[in-house]
Amino acid sequence: MTAGAEGTASAGEQGDGTSSARMDEPFVAELRDLKKRTGLSLAALAARTPYSKSAWHRYLNGAQRPPRSAVEALARLAGDDPAPILAQWEAADRPTVVGAPSCEDRPLARPAGIRALPLPVLALIVTAAAVALALVAAHRSAAPGGARQSPPAPRCRGASCQGQQPDLSACDRDAQTKSTVRAASYAVRLVYSPSCGAAWAEVQAPSSAARVVSVRSGQDVLSAAYPGGGSGGTASPLIAVTSPEGVEACAEVDGKRACTGLYTRSADER
């Protein structure tokens, strides 16, 4: 099984509130820039997300408004904070008000009896406010018990994680490496997420090398193929397991295969 098969696209393209109207060019240009930074082809994007190659073609050409989850997934694959592009996504959906006078066209009325403050006084007030904000920020960052931003919660658990990608499901936030094997030019790791109840295989290899990354538990095998040539991609899909014991992680890089895992031991070995 290969992650991101074309057959999964229909679920991602229906019921998401997308529009067939063309998107505005600045937003589409930003989407294209994110796609370029992922280093992924359209086929590779389809393999890493629930959206088909043809859907990504429409999103990146501005022919169709992408769903919010597709925009967020693209930003994460590019290694960016998704907040700025999501703000553009929301702004692109707001209708433009035509004919409304701008603030610059309206004279500013000053209430009777109110006098403008001299510029030196205004500058003093602004400076004092800036210093106060800086002191508050410094106090919060220095406080030992200060609130810290918690990592995002996993988006799946157990069987619902099956076939998803570790990064897009946020299962990689508490990833634990359980076993590693090293070959001449690459390394394979078996990784497990306790919060998701899922395991996957990861490979560290040159981005130019073609690779197939797979994970197996019993007869259940999931794999993802990456063409190389800088296309990125290091992980297999998730496999739902209650424990990493008995799970095997494998990678085939440029025709050479290596595997590692926590193999179940017999009663005599224990």
Side-chain angles (χ1 to χ4, degrees), residues 25-41:
E25 191 57 36
F27 172 74
V28 175
E30 183 64 24
L31 277 187
R32 291 183 190 136
D33 183 60
L34 285 174
K35 186 262 183 190
K36 183 177 180 181
R37 279 185 275 151
T38 66
L40 298 174
S41 64

PDB file of all heavy atoms in Angstrom, residues 25-41:
ATOM      1  N   GLU A  25      -4.644  36.470  -7.038  1.00  0.00           N
ATOM      2  CA  GLU A  25      -3.295  36.107  -7.469  1.00  0.00           C
ATOM      3  C   GLU A  25      -2.257  36.128  -6.352  1.00  0.00           C
ATOM      4  O   GLU A  25      -1.415  35.236  -6.296  1.00  0.00           O
ATOM      5  CB  GLU A  25      -2.870  37.022  -8.629  1.00  0.00           C
ATOM      6  CG  GLU A  25      -1.601  36.562  -9.341  1.00  0.00           C
ATOM      7  CD  GLU A  25      -1.721  35.148  -9.891  1.00  0.00           C
ATOM      8  OE1 GLU A  25      -2.808  34.759 -10.347  1.00  0.00           O
ATOM      9  OE2 GLU A  25      -0.700  34.416  -9.836  1.00  0.00           O
ATOM     10  N   PRO A  26      -2.260  37.127  -5.436  1.00  0.00           N
ATOM     11  CA  PRO A  26      -1.237  37.110  -4.382  1.00  0.00           C
ATOM     12  C   PRO A  26      -1.297  35.840  -3.530  1.00  0.00           C
ATOM     13  O   PRO A  26      -0.270  35.262  -3.180  1.00  0.00           O
ATOM     14  CB  PRO A  26      -1.562  38.357  -3.549  1.00  0.00           C
ATOM     15  CG  PRO A  26      -2.275  39.264  -4.492  1.00  0.00           C
ATOM     16  CD  PRO A  26      -3.060  38.369  -5.386  1.00  0.00           C
ATOM     17  N   PHE A  27      -2.510  35.382  -3.215  1.00  0.00           N
ATOM     18  CA  PHE A  27      -2.659  34.153  -2.415  1.00  0.00           C
ATOM     19  C   PHE A  27      -2.159  32.939  -3.198  1.00  0.00           C
ATOM     20  O   PHE A  27      -1.438  32.096  -2.674  1.00  0.00           O
ATOM     21  CB  PHE A  27      -4.123  33.971  -2.027  1.00  0.00           C
ATOM     22  CG  PHE A  27      -4.402  32.649  -1.367  1.00  0.00           C
ATOM     23  CD1 PHE A  27      -3.999  32.410  -0.057  1.00  0.00           C
ATOM     24  CD2 PHE A  27      -5.052  31.637  -2.060  1.00  0.00           C
ATOM     25  CE1 PHE A  27      -4.243  31.190   0.552  1.00  0.00           C
ATOM     26  CE2 PHE A  27      -5.296  30.416  -1.460  1.00  0.00           C
ATOM     27  CZ  PHE A  27      -4.889  30.189  -0.145  1.00  0.00           C
ATOM     28  N   VAL A  28      -2.531  32.859  -4.472  1.00  0.00           N
ATOM     29  CA  VAL A  28      -2.102  31.724  -5.304  1.00  0.00           C
ATOM     30  C   VAL A  28      -0.580  31.727  -5.471  1.00  0.00           C
ATOM     31  O   VAL A  28       0.066  30.685  -5.418  1.00  0.00           O
ATOM     32  CB  VAL A  28      -2.804  31.772  -6.675  1.00  0.00           C
ATOM     33  CG1 VAL A  28      -2.272  30.674  -7.592  1.00  0.00           C
ATOM     34  CG2 VAL A  28      -4.300  31.612  -6.499  1.00  0.00           C
ATOM     35  N   ALA A  29       0.007  32.916  -5.629  1.00  0.00           N
ATOM     36  CA  ALA A  29       1.466  33.019  -5.757  1.00  0.00           C
ATOM     37  C   ALA A  29       2.153  32.514  -4.492  1.00  0.00           C
ATOM     38  O   ALA A  29       3.182  31.833  -4.553  1.00  0.00           O
ATOM     39  CB  ALA A  29       1.868  34.470  -6.039  1.00  0.00           C
ATOM     40  N   GLU A  30       1.572  32.817  -3.334  1.00  0.00           N
ATOM     41  CA  GLU A  30       2.144  32.343  -2.066  1.00  0.00           C
ATOM     42  C   GLU A  30       2.032  30.817  -1.963  1.00  0.00           C
ATOM     43  O   GLU A  30       2.941  30.141  -1.481  1.00  0.00           O
ATOM     44  CB  GLU A  30       1.422  33.014  -0.889  1.00  0.00           C
ATOM     45  CG  GLU A  30       1.996  32.653   0.467  1.00  0.00           C
ATOM     46  CD  GLU A  30       3.439  33.130   0.655  1.00  0.00           C
ATOM     47  OE1 GLU A  30       3.844  34.092  -0.025  1.00  0.00           O
ATOM     48  OE2 GLU A  30       4.160  32.513   1.452  1.00  0.00           O
ATOM     49  N   LEU A  31       0.886  30.266  -2.433  1.00  0.00           N
ATOM     50  CA  LEU A  31       0.728  28.805  -2.452  1.00  0.00           C
ATOM     51  C   LEU A  31       1.805  28.145  -3.317  1.00  0.00           C
ATOM     52  O   LEU A  31       2.405  27.136  -2.938  1.00  0.00           O
ATOM     53  CB  LEU A  31      -0.642  28.427  -3.019  1.00  0.00           C
ATOM     54  CG  LEU A  31      -1.851  28.444  -2.080  1.00  0.00           C
ATOM     55  CD1 LEU A  31      -3.056  27.879  -2.804  1.00  0.00           C
ATOM     56  CD2 LEU A  31      -1.585  27.652  -0.810  1.00  0.00           C
ATOM     57  N   ARG A  32       2.053  28.762  -4.500  1.00  0.00           N
ATOM     58  CA  ARG A  32       3.066  28.189  -5.398  1.00  0.00           C
ATOM     59  C   ARG A  32       4.452  28.243  -4.760  1.00  0.00           C
ATOM     60  O   ARG A  32       5.259  27.324  -4.924  1.00  0.00           O
ATOM     61  CB  ARG A  32       3.069  28.952  -6.722  1.00  0.00           C
ATOM     62  CG  ARG A  32       1.823  28.731  -7.560  1.00  0.00           C
ATOM     63  CD  ARG A  32       1.946  29.471  -8.887  1.00  0.00           C
ATOM     64  NE  ARG A  32       0.699  29.468  -9.608  1.00  0.00           N
ATOM     65  CZ  ARG A  32       0.171  30.511 -10.219  1.00  0.00           C
ATOM     66  NH1 ARG A  32       0.809  31.674 -10.196  1.00  0.00           N
ATOM     67  NH2 ARG A  32      -0.969  30.428 -10.864  1.00  0.00           N
ATOM     68  N   ASP A  33       4.721  29.345  -4.052  1.00  0.00           N
ATOM     69  CA  ASP A  33       6.023  29.472  -3.388  1.00  0.00           C
ATOM     70  C   ASP A  33       6.185  28.401  -2.308  1.00  0.00           C
ATOM     71  O   ASP A  33       7.251  27.809  -2.170  1.00  0.00           O
ATOM     72  CB  ASP A  33       6.138  30.875  -2.771  1.00  0.00           C
ATOM     73  CG  ASP A  33       7.500  31.103  -2.139  1.00  0.00           C
ATOM     74  OD1 ASP A  33       8.511  31.017  -2.869  1.00  0.00           O
ATOM     75  OD2 ASP A  33       7.580  31.361  -0.932  1.00  0.00           O
ATOM     76  N   LEU A  34       5.125  28.139  -1.544  1.00  0.00           N
ATOM     77  CA  LEU A  34       5.184  27.079  -0.532  1.00  0.00           C
ATOM     78  C   LEU A  34       5.424  25.718  -1.186  1.00  0.00           C
ATOM     79  O   LEU A  34       6.224  24.915  -0.716  1.00  0.00           O
ATOM     80  CB  LEU A  34       3.874  27.038   0.266  1.00  0.00           C
ATOM     81  CG  LEU A  34       3.670  28.138   1.303  1.00  0.00           C
ATOM     82  CD1 LEU A  34       2.266  28.049   1.887  1.00  0.00           C
ATOM     83  CD2 LEU A  34       4.710  28.048   2.415  1.00  0.00           C
ATOM     84  N   LYS A  35       4.725  25.478  -2.297  1.00  0.00           N
ATOM     85  CA  LYS A  35       4.897  24.194  -2.997  1.00  0.00           C
ATOM     86  C   LYS A  35       6.332  24.037  -3.481  1.00  0.00           C
ATOM     87  O   LYS A  35       6.943  22.959  -3.369  1.00  0.00           O
ATOM     88  CB  LYS A  35       3.908  24.132  -4.157  1.00  0.00           C
ATOM     89  CG  LYS A  35       3.894  22.778  -4.888  1.00  0.00           C
ATOM     90  CD  LYS A  35       4.732  22.798  -6.137  1.00  0.00           C
ATOM     91  CE  LYS A  35       4.662  21.480  -6.880  1.00  0.00           C
ATOM     92  NZ  LYS A  35       5.646  21.382  -7.968  1.00  0.00           N
ATOM     93  N   LYS A  36       6.911  25.131  -4.002  1.00  0.00           N
ATOM     94  CA  LYS A  36       8.297  25.092  -4.470  1.00  0.00           C
ATOM     95  C   LYS A  36       9.243  24.752  -3.326  1.00  0.00           C
ATOM     96  O   LYS A  36      10.181  23.975  -3.487  1.00  0.00           O
ATOM     97  CB  LYS A  36       8.663  26.434  -5.104  1.00  0.00           C
ATOM     98  CG  LYS A  36      10.072  26.474  -5.687  1.00  0.00           C
ATOM     99  CD  LYS A  36      10.334  27.815  -6.350  1.00  0.00           C
ATOM    100  CE  LYS A  36      11.744  27.869  -6.937  1.00  0.00           C
ATOM    101  NZ  LYS A  36      12.018  29.183  -7.571  1.00  0.00           N
ATOM    102  N   ARG A  37       8.965  25.328  -2.121  1.00  0.00           N
ATOM    103  CA  ARG A  37       9.849  25.080  -0.976  1.00  0.00           C
ATOM    104  C   ARG A  37       9.711  23.668  -0.411  1.00  0.00           C
ATOM    105  O   ARG A  37      10.595  23.195   0.280  1.00  0.00           O
ATOM    106  CB  ARG A  37       9.585  26.129   0.106  1.00  0.00           C
ATOM    107  CG  ARG A  37      10.304  27.443  -0.200  1.00  0.00           C
ATOM    108  CD  ARG A  37      10.134  28.429   0.924  1.00  0.00           C
ATOM    109  NE  ARG A  37       8.902  29.189   0.803  1.00  0.00           N
ATOM    110  CZ  ARG A  37       8.225  29.688   1.790  1.00  0.00           C
ATOM    111  NH1 ARG A  37       8.617  29.482   3.025  1.00  0.00           N
ATOM    112  NH2 ARG A  37       7.126  30.393   1.584  1.00  0.00           N
ATOM    113  N   THR A  38       8.587  22.998  -0.691  1.00  0.00           N
ATOM    114  CA  THR A  38       8.485  21.603  -0.241  1.00  0.00           C
ATOM    115  C   THR A  38       9.418  20.703  -1.045  1.00  0.00           C
ATOM    116  O   THR A  38       9.822  19.651  -0.571  1.00  0.00           O
ATOM    117  CB  THR A  38       7.051  21.072  -0.398  1.00  0.00           C
ATOM    118  OG1 THR A  38       6.718  20.998  -1.793  1.00  0.00           O
ATOM    119  CG2 THR A  38       6.054  21.932   0.357  1.00  0.00           C
ATOM    120  N   GLY A  39       9.747  21.126  -2.268  1.00  0.00           N
ATOM    121  CA  GLY A  39      10.552  20.270  -3.132  1.00  0.00           C
ATOM    122  C   GLY A  39       9.773  19.090  -3.685  1.00  0.00           C
ATOM    123  O   GLY A  39      10.354  18.172  -4.256  1.00  0.00           O
ATOM    124  N   LEU A  40       8.442  19.095  -3.523  1.00  0.00           N
ATOM    125  CA  LEU A  40       7.619  17.956  -3.933  1.00  0.00           C
ATOM    126  C   LEU A  40       6.944  18.220  -5.279  1.00  0.00           C
ATOM    127  O   LEU A  40       6.533  19.341  -5.571  1.00  0.00           O
ATOM    128  CB  LEU A  40       6.544  17.672  -2.887  1.00  0.00           C
ATOM    129  CG  LEU A  40       7.022  17.290  -1.482  1.00  0.00           C
ATOM    130  CD1 LEU A  40       5.834  17.178  -0.545  1.00  0.00           C
ATOM    131  CD2 LEU A  40       7.805  15.991  -1.505  1.00  0.00           C
ATOM    132  N   SER A  41       6.820  17.162  -6.056  1.00  0.00           N
ATOM    133  CA  SER A  41       6.033  17.233  -7.279  1.00  0.00           C
ATOM    134  C   SER A  41       4.553  17.141  -6.905  1.00  0.00           C
ATOM    135  O   SER A  41       4.196  16.871  -5.756  1.00  0.00           O
ATOM    136  CB  SER A  41       6.393  16.072  -8.205  1.00  0.00           C
ATOM    137  OG  SER A  41       6.049  14.838  -7.588  1.00  0.00           O
TER     138      SER A  41
END
